[in-house]
């Protein structure tokens, strides 16, 4: 059973720097170079130097280890370094780890980063090709022989059940795609800058795995993103307004697998997201009505709808209409569908921009941002807010 009480992490750390490379389909440089560029850009944004850093956090999937990045970026001694597992589900947990280190005094300045050549190098969308035997990988053996080889095929199973259970058609997913691309069209950093789409475009895009069309699936990107975390007290002396970590949580549901949790009692929700939601609301003391902007992990459009329902923004089966009504500003950077697929790290950066008031699609008076990480896998989330 997950914890049933508020934790004490909230309000003790803040994101003070964000930095990224360009987002492309062929970076022309190594993943290590991308990581270092992003880290240095984030430190510049924070008004800090590599010598100020004593902690690094990344993903288990990252090919650039913390120690190598520290060496290449000119960072000296480290007192904290950590990695989070489960692909995109790790995004917000990297910030949680950094906040834990800062709050406990283990480190003073921690940089979270993610960098990959996911388009020109290893393409996650191509699915399982070679895999070393592991206990968690054994679960895939129940699905791969029957053709469920890619992330899209795994999500399609849950998406089909969602549509059947609520009497909906696949066009309901198009509202997420259109919204993301509308925001991306106004974002110069987005790959799909200047390229909005319509519901008709969504419906005309080719099937990938029914009921998912091409425009239901996030893009593949080369690039890097980094975030700098320090104490709220130190943050107040730095150039940028602190984006305070109001709450942070990780979550795994019962019968959890990596995107193939098909043996649960139901397939129309995301139990791992519910674990995160409960803890974020408990710790922050907030509710959906208090959130000004949502940055929801959008590797596939159906899971955006399910996240809205798990967080309580609307009832089961109602999220498509909720998105269509623009009831909550969502993915104002364009999301992974429109801006870039950086395993959700670029979404955290957008949440920080909203708190700073510097987003290209700024929500007036935004003081609280909800950010989520990859779903269908053990996941994580954040509530980020303005100082004071």
């Amino acid at each position: 059973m997950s914890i049933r009480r508020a934790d004490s992490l909230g309000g003790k750390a803040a994101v003070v720097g964000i930095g990224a490379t360009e987002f492309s389909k062929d970076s022309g440089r190594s993943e290590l170079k991308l990581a270092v560029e992003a880290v240095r850009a984030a430190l510049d944004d924070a008004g800090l130097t590599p010598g100020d850093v004593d902690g690094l956090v990344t993903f288990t999937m990252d090919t650039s280890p913390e120690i190598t990045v520290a060496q290449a970026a000119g960072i000296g001694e480290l007192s904290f370094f950590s990695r989070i597992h489960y692909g995109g589900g790790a995004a917000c947990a990297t910030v949680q780890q950094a906040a834990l280190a800062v709050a406990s005094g283990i480190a003073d300045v921690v940089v979270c980063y993610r960098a990959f050549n996911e388009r020109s190098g290893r393409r996650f969308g191509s699915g399982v090709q070679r895999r070393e035997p592991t206990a968690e990988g054994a679960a895939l053996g129940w699905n791969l022989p029957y053709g469920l080889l890619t992330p899209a095929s795994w999500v399609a199973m849950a998406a089909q059940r969602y549509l059947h259970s609520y009497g909906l058609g696949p066009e309901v997913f198009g509202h997420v795609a259109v919204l993301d691309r509308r925001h991306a069209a106004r974002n110069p950093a987005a790959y799909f800058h200047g390229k909005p789409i319509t519901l008709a475009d969504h419906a005309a895009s080719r099937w990938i795995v029914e009921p998912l069309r091409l425009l239901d699936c996030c893009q593949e990107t080369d690039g890097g993103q980094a975030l700098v975390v320090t104490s709220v007290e130190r943050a107040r002396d730095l150039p940028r307004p602190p984006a305070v970590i109001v709450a942070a949580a990780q979550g795994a549901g019962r019968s959890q697998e990596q995107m193939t949790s098909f043996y649960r009692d139901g397939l129309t929700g995301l139990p791992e997201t519910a674990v995160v939601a409960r803890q974020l609301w408990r710790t922050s003391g907030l509710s959906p009505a208090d959130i000004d902007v949502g940055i929801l992990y959008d590797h596939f459009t159906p899971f955006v709808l399910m996240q809205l329902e798990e967080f309580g923004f609307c009832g089961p089966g109602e999220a498509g209409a909720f998105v269509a009504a623009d009831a909550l500003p969502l993915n104002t950077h364009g999301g992974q569908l429109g801006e870039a697929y950086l395993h959700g790290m670029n979404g955290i950066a957008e949440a920080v921009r909203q708190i700073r008031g510097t987003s290209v699609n700024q929500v007036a008076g935004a003081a609280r941002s909800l950010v989520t990480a990859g779903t269908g896998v053990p996941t994580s989330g954040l509530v980020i807010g303005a100082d004071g």
Side-chain angles (χ1 to χ4, degrees):
M1 175 62 70
S2 58
I3 60 175
R4 300 181 182 180
R5 62 187 182 279
D7 61 65
S8 59
L9 181 62
K12 295 183 178 177
V15 180
V16 296
I18 55 177
T21 67
E22 83 288 356
F23 305 135
S24 73
K25 302 301 181 187
D26 187 1
S27 73
R29 51 207 192 275
S30 71
E31 293 181 333
L32 176 59
K33 187 168 179 58
L34 293 172
V36 171
E37 287 181 23
V39 168
R40 285 188 169 274
L43 289 170
D44 287 345
D45 183 64
L48 296 169
T49 69
D52 294 310
V53 178
D54 54 2
L56 288 170
V57 186
T58 189
F59 294 49
T60 57
M61 296 181 74
D62 206 299
T63 62
S64 302
E66 308 94 304
I67 308 307
T68 307
V69 170
Q71 181 185 41
I75 296 168
E77 296 178 343
L78 295 178
S79 57
F80 177 75
F81 38 94
S82 178
R83 288 188 167 209
I84 312 296
H85 197 27
Y86 303 112
C92 294
T94 65
V95 176
Q96 182 192 42
Q97 285 275 301
L100 286 164
V102 167
S104 62
I106 293 173
D108 291 324
V109 176
V110 182
V111 180
C112 309
Y113 66 91
R114 180 77 172 104
F116 51 37
N117 285 319
E118 202 275 332
R119 174 69 184 194
S120 64
R122 177 191 172 190
R123 298 175 64 177
F124 300 145
S126 63
V128 177
Q129 297 177 338
R130 295 178 299 276
R131 189 182 183 106
E132 292 297 320
T134 64
E136 65 184 4
L140 294 173
W142 295 104
N143 302 288
L144 299 185
Y146 306 102
L148 297 180
L149 298 170
T150 65
S153 68
W154 302 331
V155 173
M157 292 282 284
Q160 188 66 37
R161 187 65 189 181
Y162 180 88
L163 297 179
H164 171 78
S165 295
Y166 299 120
L168 302 169
E171 65 275 3
V172 73
F173 303 143
H175 297 299
V176 175
V178 170
L179 174 111
D180 275 15
R181 289 287 292 273
R182 183 175 78 231
H183 289 141
R186 296 193 289 264
N187 177 6
Y191 184 78
F192 286 111
H193 177 231
K195 297 179 180 178
I197 60 170
T198 64
L199 285 173
D201 293 328
H202 173 266
S205 64
R206 63 184 174 88
W207 293 113
I208 299 300
V209 183
E210 291 190 50
L212 300 182
R213 297 183 178 276
L214 177 65
L215 293 179
D216 291 309
C217 307
C218 74
Q219 57 186 311
E220 296 169 306
T221 302
D222 288 8
Q225 178 80 59
L227 314 158
V228 182
V229 177
T230 192
S231 69
V232 171
E233 290 75 16
R234 185 168 187 179
R236 290 171 180 149
D237 294 328
L238 296 175
R240 305 288 188 180
V244 177
I245 300 161
V246 176
Q250 286 183 277
R254 291 186 179 87
S255 302
Q256 182 83 57
E257 295 178 5
Q258 287 198 77
M259 297 193 75
T260 57
S261 303
F262 302 137
Y263 301 98
R264 291 168 164 169
D265 292 339
L267 293 180
T268 59
L270 297 165
E272 61 278 359
T273 296
V275 175
V276 170
R278 290 195 300 269
Q279 194 58 20
L280 291 182
W281 296 146
R282 283 189 196 109
T283 296
S284 68
L286 303 174
S287 71
D290 298 310
I291 298 300
D292 300 309
V293 57
I295 310 296
L296 303 188
Y297 198 96
D298 56 339
H299 50 345
F300 299 99
T301 57
F303 280 0
V304 174
L305 302 186
M306 294 183 197
Q307 287 178 79
L308 286 166
E309 293 166 14
E310 294 287 9
F311 271 94
F313 287 99
C314 55
E318 297 176 357
F322 182 90
V323 174
D326 281 329
L328 175 71
L330 291 171
N331 293 353
T332 48
H333 57 319
Q336 299 183 118
L337 291 163
E339 185 187 55
Y341 175 67
L342 259 295
H343 256 161
M345 295 294 273
N346 52 318
I348 303 172
E350 174 63 11
V352 172
R353 286 189 290 267
Q354 284 290 346
I355 298 305
R356 291 178 175 181
T358 60
S359 171
V360 295
N361 293 299
Q362 183 63 41
V363 175
R368 300 183 186 96
S369 297
L370 170 68
V371 195
T372 64
T375 46
V377 294
T379 189
S380 53
L382 299 167
V383 175
I384 296 176
D387 188 23

